[in-house]
Amino acid sequence: MKKRYLALFLTLAMVFTLTACAKKETKVEEGTPQATAGQEAAQSTPEKEKKYVEMKVKGYGTMQIELDPNVAPDTVDNFMNLVHDEFYNGLTFHRIIPGFMIQGGDPLGDGTGGSEHKVRGEFAANGFANPLGHTRGVISMARAADYNSASSQFFIMHQDYPSLDGQYAAFGQVINGIEVVDKICEDVQTEDSNGSVKAKNQPVIKYIKEIEKPN
C-alpha cells in the first residue's frame, strides 16, 4: 500500500494547502435548538464503557491512555482490535514534530503503510459529531486525503493544535505518562520540517496492551 498518509503540518498556512484540510467548514455547534435524527439516537444510546491501554516505548517509558468509544466508536473498536492482535508491538514513531505531535503505527515505518482494515472518519468534516479536541495528550488517527482512509497510524498531541479539530478522529487521551511524549520530542533527531525520522532513530513501541482502569 503505497498511498502517502496526509501530513499534519505545523502552520495553518501549510495545513490549508492540503486537500483534506481545505476550508470547507462543517460546524458542529453545541446547543443547537433542533437535533438531527442521528443526534437524537445518539443521545438515547447508553454510554459505552471507556477502554484503557498501556503503551511502552523502549528507552522512554510507559503511557496509559483512556479511549472513549462515545466520541469515536468505530475508531476505538479498530484500535482495540489491532491492540488485541499485537499489531503495534515492535512498530515505531516515524514522524515527530516538537510542539505538535508524534506519529506512529505504520508497519512500513515511513508513513505509507497501515493495516488491512479502513475505518470511517469520525469527525465533523465527514459528517460525524466528535467533541474531543486536539489538545495536549489526545490520541487521534492519521489518514490520507480520503476521509475514510485511516487504518493503523495514529498520533499523540504534544501540545494543543485546535486547527485539527473536525478534520481528524480524536478518540482518547493520555492519562498517565505524557512525559514520554515530551522526552521523545526533546531527544529524537528529525530530518526535515515535516518531522521525518530515520529508521535507526525511530522510537520503538515495545507493546500496546489493554489494561484495567488505572486507579
Side-chain angles (χ1 to χ4, degrees), residues 63-85:
M63 291 180 277
Q64 293 177 332
I65 305 172
E66 179 184 81
L67 308 179
D68 191 350
N70 297 289
V71 300
D74 289 355
T75 303
V76 171
D77 283 349
N78 178 69
F79 189 85
M80 291 305 301
N81 286 337
L82 294 173
V83 168
H84 293 152
D85 289 342

Side-chain angles (χ1 to χ4, degrees), residues 87-93 104-109 152 202-206:
F87 178 89
Y88 290 114
N89 298 1
L91 300 188
T92 64
F93 286 99
D106 176 8
L108 299 181
S152 66
Q202 292 176 6
V204 176
I205 300 169
K206 184 173 183 179

Side-chain angles (χ1 to χ4, degrees), residues 2 11 35 66 71 73 77 94 98 111 117 138 153 168 178 184 212:
K2 286 293 181 180
T11 66
E66 179 184 81
V71 300
D77 283 349
H94 65 274
H117 179 68
V138 161
Q153 290 193 46
Y168 296 86
I178 189 64
I184 289 172
E212 297 294 325

Side-chain angles (χ1 to χ4, degrees), residues 168-190:
Y168 296 86
F171 63 103
Q173 171 80 44
V174 175
I175 55 175
N176 289 310
I178 189 64
E179 63 272 10
V180 172
V181 177
D182 294 334
K183 187 168 177 57
I184 289 172
C185 286
E186 180 181 346
D187 289 354
V188 177
Q189 178 181 342
T190 58

Side-chain angles (χ1 to χ4, degrees), residues 190-211:
T190 58
E191 302 304 310
D192 51 41
S193 61
N194 195 40
S196 303
V197 182
K198 287 183 178 179
K200 66 179 182 179
N201 296 327
Q202 292 176 6
V204 176
I205 300 169
K206 184 173 183 179
Y207 64 75
I208 304 179
K209 65 181 180 180
E210 185 172 11
I211 59 172

Side-chain angles (χ1 to χ4, degrees), residues 55-170:
M55 179 189 301
K56 184 169 185 177
V57 184
K58 290 182 181 180
Y60 289 95
T62 301
M63 291 180 277
Q64 293 177 332
I65 305 172
E66 179 184 81
L67 308 179
D68 191 350
N70 297 289
V71 300
D74 289 355
T75 303
V76 171
D77 283 349
N78 178 69
F79 189 85
M80 291 305 301
N81 286 337
L82 294 173
V83 168
H84 293 152
D85 289 342
E86 300 183 352
F87 178 89
Y88 290 114
N89 298 1
L91 300 188
T92 64
F93 286 99
H94 65 274
R95 185 164 177 253
I96 297 165
I97 303 179
F100 186 21
M101 57 90 227
I102 62 174
Q103 182 175 335
D106 176 8
L108 299 181
D110 61 5
T112 66
S115 59
E116 292 183 0
H117 179 68
K118 300 290 192 302
V119 62
R120 66 167 172 159
E122 293 176 313
F123 46 84
N126 203 33
F128 189 92
N130 182 338
L132 186 59
H134 287 79
T135 55
R136 175 171 163 81
V138 161
I139 183 171
S140 187
M141 292 302 292
R143 61 175 176 80
D146 181 349
Y147 285 169
N148 300 310
S149 61
S151 60
S152 66
Q153 290 193 46
F154 63 89
F155 57 96
I156 301 173
M157 302 306 299
H158 184 214
Q159 300 296 344
D160 297 358
Y161 212 82
S163 66
L164 301 183
D165 296 352
Q167 300 289 335
Y168 296 86

